[in-house]
Amino acid sequence: MDEKFDCIIVGAGVAGLAAAMVLARSNMKFLLIERGEFAGSKNVSGGVLWGHDLAKLVPDYWEEKEAGWERFINHRRLTFMDEESTFSLDFKSSHFNEPPYSGVVVLRSKFDRWLADKVQDAIDASDYAMDSFIATNILVDQIIMKDDKAVGIKTGEDEFFADSVIIAEGVNNLLTRQVGLQTQYVPADHMLTGIKEIIRFDQKELEDRFQLNGLSGMSNEFVGWATDGVEGGGFLYTNRDTISLGLVLGIKDMREKNKSPHDVLNHFKSHPAIADIIRGGEIVEYTAHVVSSGDKRAMPKELYKDGVLLAGESANLLMNAGKAIQGMDYAMRSGILAAETIVKAKEKNDFTSATLSGYRKALDDSYVMKDINGFQDAVHLLHTPTMQHDVPNLICDFGRQFFTIKNEPTPKSKDMLRGAIKRHSSYWDLIKLGAKGAKAL
């Protein structure tokens, strides 16, 4: 076997698989390396894959009976919490029902394996069916550098060489630092811990409980009491016969407040509204992993150099501006753009940074960096104490007053709101928040 490839991709997550699909369809000879037993075996994350890039990689994916996704999203909910109440912004629309869907819920261990099978199909249909490979159970120890250019990878005693390398190792930045694109570990205040339980129900019971029809699904984000005073928020996604329920928590804040992810998750589940939702369910999986906070200061100083590109969470491409947690869609788009850049480099026979810099330009021109740059103020605003605590408490306080009917004169809504503001915040703080929010969003 000729061990010289056009490209070696490190990591068979969403970014790596998207890159591999583009390379296979472009008749490139490549090696995709995954340290797990199979693609997705080491990936404990999951949630909603937003956008239409999946339809570009797997046309008509929604017609497959054994597709790797769980449900499509046609119901969105944002919930504010205090210790006894919830107040939700709720939106459901049939316009989300037509494929290609604007968002699909995935469990990554299942989804990644399915997408890897699609990549293998693309390899089999290419001119390099016998020369391109998906190799699992292999840990990449080192990117081989020659004259400060990536020329291959080393795993154990074996070395494999290529004109280019795409690093899609995830949030663990060992290889990113090794090639010199990041000088240190990402600071703890730019990182979050994601903790999740998969809770199983009878499928009909789940569909009745969440008012689902067919494969429709719901995503629900939570702000406020859910995190027990720790910076972060909660989420709930409906799968086929399970729900994904969990939290993303600031690592630094959690450490300073001496709280464990498991204890905070139990706190979240003890809320009356959540206890009603999960009643009768069976916990079948418990997972935790590290994710980026969405603060672009966590990004590497650059995403390319001679012979190498960064994609997905290895480039800390993630954002939560309050509307949705976006990461998998960023990973998929960055993987596509990285592979397209490699294809152009192959055409020029130039894998230096002069050509690979086109990846950064393409990423900057895409919605990924436009959103990350455009909504940084919203990311920072979401993590302020006012937004994390004061606003949810104020909203729930007002809700309790507004929806309570007593056999006595009812105050005007403006008086209810005035009282809630006085108890939980101040007009000045809300004016500042409104001004920042108008700028941020």
Side-chain angles (χ1 to χ4, degrees):
M1 180 184 71
D2 183 358
E3 294 181 350
K4 177 71 178 294
F5 297 92
D6 296 320
C7 184
I8 294 175
I9 306 168
V10 182
V14 169
L17 289 167
M21 183 72 83
V22 172
L23 294 180
R25 289 180 176 166
S26 301
N27 276 319
M28 301 281 281
K29 184 167 64 171
F30 68 91
L31 173 64
L32 172 60
I33 293 185
E34 165 59 34
R35 67 188 178 96
E37 182 181 352
F38 55 86
S41 65
K42 296 290 187 181
N43 201 316
V44 299
S45 64
V48 181
L49 171 60
W50 300 106
H52 297 150
D53 280 338
L54 178 58
K56 297 176 183 177
L57 294 179
V58 187
D60 302 331
Y61 69 86
W62 54 87
E63 295 183 356
E64 295 192 19
K65 291 182 180 179
E66 300 300 325
W69 54 282
E70 299 293 304
R71 293 181 177 275
F72 68 87
I73 295 297
N74 73 344
H75 190 178
R76 302 288 309 279
R77 182 180 292 163
L78 174 62
T79 299
F80 298 92
M81 305 180 79
D82 69 6
E83 62 183 2
E84 58 184 356
S85 308
T86 60
F87 194 115
S88 296
L89 299 175
D90 195 283
F91 183 74
K92 187 174 185 178
S93 176
S94 61
H95 96 278
F96 290 128
N97 293 353
E98 295 299 319
Y101 303 119
S102 63
V104 292
V105 186
V106 302
L107 294 170
R108 289 290 301 280
S109 58
K110 176 182 177 182
F111 177 78
D112 290 10
R113 193 170 194 174
W114 168 79
L115 189 55
D117 288 341
K118 297 299 178 184
V119 171
Q120 186 61 58
D121 290 343
I123 291 173
D124 294 341
S126 75
D127 293 343
Y128 291 99
M130 302 301 295
D131 300 298
S132 291
F133 302 93
I134 300 175
T136 59
N137 263 330
I138 295 176
L139 175 65
V140 175
D141 299 310
Q142 180 182 339
I143 305 297
I144 301 173
M145 305 294 290
K146 182 178 180 181
D147 298 326
D148 206 33
K149 177 185 184 296
V151 295
I153 58 99
K154 183 175 183 179
T155 169
E157 298 300 317
D158 296 321
E159 294 182 344
F160 299 89
F161 294 92
D163 291 319
S164 60
V165 176
I166 296 175
I167 298 177
E169 63 180 336
V171 74
N172 178 357
N173 63 352
L174 294 175
L175 298 178
T176 303
R177 289 187 295 114
Q178 185 243 309
V179 300
L181 287 174
Q182 204 161 35
T183 57
Q184 58 187 4
Y185 285 108
V186 178
D189 55 348
H190 294 335
M191 303 303 291
L192 306 172
T193 291
I195 181 171
K196 176 184 68 178
E197 287 183 351
I198 304 296
I199 304 175
R200 177 178 292 146
F201 298 86
D202 173 80
Q203 185 168 333
K204 185 178 185 307
E205 179 184 358
L206 183 146
E207 291 171 351
D208 290 344
R209 185 170 299 193
F210 293 96
Q211 299 178 330
L212 308 179
N213 182 24
L215 289 180
S216 70
M218 183 189 76
S219 69
N220 194 164
E221 284 76 38
F222 299 85
V223 180
W225 186 90
T227 60
D228 197 17
V230 177
E231 174 193 353
F235 59 84
L236 185 157
Y237 308 119
T238 54
N239 306 311
R240 294 285 178 109
D241 61 354
T242 64
I243 63 170
S244 298
L245 180 76
L247 301 164
V248 284
L249 304 168
I251 291 178
K252 181 181 179 182
D253 197 38
M254 187 166 46
R255 181 181 63 203
E256 290 176 348
K257 292 175 178 173
N258 196 30
K259 294 183 178 180
S260 74
H262 186 263
D263 289 342
V264 181
L265 180 60
N266 283 336
H267 169 87
F268 179 36
K269 291 166 59 181
S270 72
H271 192 280
I274 302 302
D276 285 344
I277 288 174
I278 65 176
R279 185 182 65 255
E282 175 193 4
I283 300 171
V284 294
E285 187 176 331
Y286 171 88
T287 58
H289 64 114
V290 176
V291 297
S292 302
S293 68
D295 192 319
K296 71 175 185 179
R297 291 175 293 183
M299 291 181 65
K301 61 182 181 180
E302 195 42 89
L303 305 182
Y304 66 91
K305 65 185 302 182
D306 288 353
V308 64
L309 299 174
L310 305 180
E313 274 214 280
S314 65
N316 292 102
L317 299 176
L318 184 140
M319 189 180 71
N320 178 15
K323 185 174 70 171
I325 300 172
Q326 293 181 258
M328 287 184 285
D329 53 334
Y330 288 3
M332 185 167 282
R333 177 58 66 90
S334 65
I336 291 171
L337 295 177
E340 289 175 347
T341 303
I342 296 301
V343 171
K344 292 177 182 177
K346 175 68 173 179
E347 292 171 352
K348 295 180 179 180
N349 195 29
D350 179 5
F351 294 88
T352 66
S353 59
T355 297
L356 299 190
S357 63
Y359 168 60
R360 182 57 190 255
K361 184 180 186 306
L363 201 60
D364 286 343
D365 289 341
S366 75
Y367 78 93
V368 176
M369 289 309 301
K370 286 184 177 180
D371 281 358
I372 287 176
N373 290 325
F375 288 94
Q376 278 299 292
D377 288 341
V379 171
H380 299 152
L381 182 65
L382 184 64
H383 293 279
T384 62
T386 300
M387 197 65 207
Q388 291 270 305
H389 309 297
D390 297 351
V391 169
N393 290 338
L394 187 160
I395 290 174
C396 289
D397 188 337
F398 172 76
R400 275 192 300 274
Q401 296 178 77
F402 186 85
F403 291 108
T404 298
I405 306 298
K406 298 179 179 179
N407 297 131
E408 58 186 49
T410 302
K412 294 289 187 180
S413 298
K414 61 181 178 63
D415 296 326
M416 295 180 186
L417 184 58
R418 184 181 297 116
I421 292 172
K422 185 176 181 180
R423 285 186 288 274
H424 300 287
S425 186
S426 69
Y427 282 107
W428 177 236
D429 285 341
L430 293 181
I431 289 171
K432 290 191 294 183
L433 182 68
K436 291 179 180 178
K439 177 184 177 184
L441 297 174

